[in-house]
Amino acid sequence: MLFTLSDVEVSALAPDLIRNDFAVELRDVVKLYGTMAAVDHVSMSIRHNEFFSLLGPSGCGKTTCLRMIAGFERPTSGQILIDSKIMGLTPPFQRNVNTVFQSYALFPHMTVEQNVAFGLEMKGISRAEIVRRVGEALSLVRLPHLAKRYPKQMSGGQQQRVALARALVNRPKVLLLDEPLGALDLKLRKEMQIELKTLQRDVGITFIYVTHDQEEALTMSDRIAVMSHGKALQIGSPLEIYERPACKFVADFIGETNFLEGRVIAINGEFATLSVATGHTFTGRRVNGLQVGEIATLSVRPEKMQLVEHPVDGAANTYEVTVFSIAYVGSDTRVIINLGDQRLDVWEQNSTSTLNPDDYFFKPGEKAWLTFKPENALVLAQ
Amino acid sequence: MSNETSTIVVMGEREEIFPQEPAERQRVRPGRLALVTITLLTFAFLYVPIAILVVFSFNDARTGAVWQGFTLDWYARLFRNERLLDAALRSLIIATVSTAGSVVIGTMTALAMERFRFRSKTFWDGLLYMPVIVPEIVAGVSLLLFFATAGIERGFFTLVVSHIAFSMPFVYLTVRARLADFDLSIEEAAKDLGADEWVTFRRITLPLLMPGIVSGALLAFTLSVDDFIISFFVTGKGWDTLPIYIWSALKRGVTPEVNAVSAMLLLFSATLVVGSLILQRRRSY
């Protein structure tokens, strides 16, 4: 005889047995501004020591989520838990989280040192301890030599690091970062991405990172929540988000993809076959339990298709196409092809080095054969 | 001929680009001459009367507009004139108290107007600007009627209240200007780092608004010390301010002593206004 107890029963019998292993939880959180839902029934669980990104276009509700976790906004309904404690109306200054603001929000009338010391002063920590920890934090972000400067005397990248030190010095449970690299130029941004990721691993603090830059999110995150119109459309690892997007929006927002709309004409296990407007049929992985007869979209990434001179007999998803244009971009060659009146992007990797342009593929106007494996394409619901 | 015209045009352009270049200034066009003349006349119109007032405060003569020689007697006499000194002291007391009131109310109003969203905000904002454009005579008469109707005895209290009423909008305006480029996330950062509302205000908001507050305070103080019309209506027995004293002294005839006290008032006001402008100009750290 086997007994199983529900979570509620276990927690009633022995509250210590259930260790809710999440740093931050959002439970069915809604935030309304007037009648507009900025955040629309979002639930997510962020693990300890995780680098978690909220990714989406501007206005998708990602910053509002972050501000609700920080305590600057109150959810209209739903719950936010930090370290398994329901936050409710707990004000920002009583939450064990710190924020790195998009504008850095450094105190302009205080030196770097005073900025970093502020949080510790608020906690009533002794002067000697403050001096020690401020020194440590500034070393961590490699700025100890600028301790006496004022924020306006520093570059954007340096200010950004001060903001980071000011938050990290408090050793928060969770660090909230609101597009912290948005104001930096591309090169500095790339450097800081690696630095931030390394820092997060070293200090072992949960990072919740808001960004609209999908490459940034893919580079740094353990997991990503893709948001649009207040909803969390998909939560998963960068790999899952890119290779198995749950819907058309995610497939479109993350990386490049080709879409072909059509009607499902056959289902075969985990594959679905689609008849598209150009008259061709394509097979790909079936997502969202599609049924025969439904309208669906085939999504296939440019690097997952190949152009060949001679087709393999009987291979699926293989059609003759016309090359429209080619562009050499170094690592690969980006080819635009016409399949009927449908235009598709195909990226061919330049895996051999040659100076002869003819070796890099077909010329515009020439015929070629397009082919890709069904497991490399997805059939998504409308 | 056409050649010459084109040269002038070219020179004109270059003058705009290099206004400091002395070689380009040698040729004076008639239009330019007129412009300079009108500008000088305008400044003369504005400042010559004031200059004459100041110059004659050093004139060694009882009356009249004829220069008799330099003296500091009139200034020395000022400091022996107890009625005048009392009036000046009263003016300073009223200015200090009313400025304190204006600063507190004006700053709080500015914060409220900047931070909160409520219905018909533009209307209330406009209402706060009104005292700046309401004719002083209208303000004076209405305040007088109000105090009379309410049965409030005129004197120190009515002067202070009236001065707060007309100087508060200036504090409101300067603080509001300061708040306009205030990054709200700075306050959020303070709260995020563990500061409650009060500590955030004291350690972050107030220091950052201080240049605006001080500049508004200097304006309010100047306006209070200089005010004649409204003070004249709302003052009571024994509470004649300095401008009221000067006015009553004038009824007995213009003496260089009046010139001297006016010159000192001018110096005092100018110092405060310049101080206020410098503070407003100063960017946030």
Side-chain angles (χ1 to χ4, degrees), chain B residues 39 69 79 81 135 178 189 203 214 255 258:
Chain B
T39 307
F79 291 98
N81 182 341
R178 192 83 190 164
R203 297 272 318 260
V214 174
T255 66
V258 171

Side-chain angles (χ1 to χ4, degrees), chain B residues 48-76:
Chain B
V48 165
I50 296 172
I52 289 172
L53 175 128
V54 174
V55 166
F56 277 85
S57 71
F58 298 106
N59 192 9
D60 193 6
R62 182 83 190 90
T63 51
V66 185
W67 183 255
Q68 302 283 333
F70 181 84
T71 180
L72 285 172
D73 268 7
W74 302 112
Y75 287 89

Side-chain angles (χ1 to χ4, degrees), chain A residues 14-26:
Chain A
D16 295 343
L17 279 185
I18 287 209
R19 214 197 135 213
N20 191 343
D21 223 15
F22 294 117
V24 174
E25 267 185 274
L26 272 69

Side-chain angles (χ1 to χ4, degrees), chain B residues 24-99:
Chain B
E24 305 291 343
R25 290 225 170 150
Q26 282 165 1
R27 202 172 225 156
V28 179
R29 286 170 294 159
R32 203 178 166 80
L33 190 69
L35 185 67
V36 169
T37 312
I38 290 167
T39 307
L40 289 177
L41 281 174
T42 308
F43 276 102
F45 177 70
L46 286 173
Y47 287 102
V48 165
I50 296 172
I52 289 172
L53 175 128
V54 174
V55 166
F56 277 85
S57 71
F58 298 106
N59 192 9
D60 193 6
R62 182 83 190 90
T63 51
V66 185
W67 183 255
Q68 302 283 333
F70 181 84
T71 180
L72 285 172
D73 268 7
W74 302 112
Y75 287 89
R77 282 180 60 162
L78 279 188
F79 291 98
R80 291 196 302 270
N81 182 341
E82 288 203 7
R83 286 190 56 209
L84 183 145
L85 289 178
D86 284 348
L89 183 65
R90 283 193 290 270
S91 273
L92 289 179
I93 291 169
I94 287 157
T96 308
V97 177
S98 70
T99 300

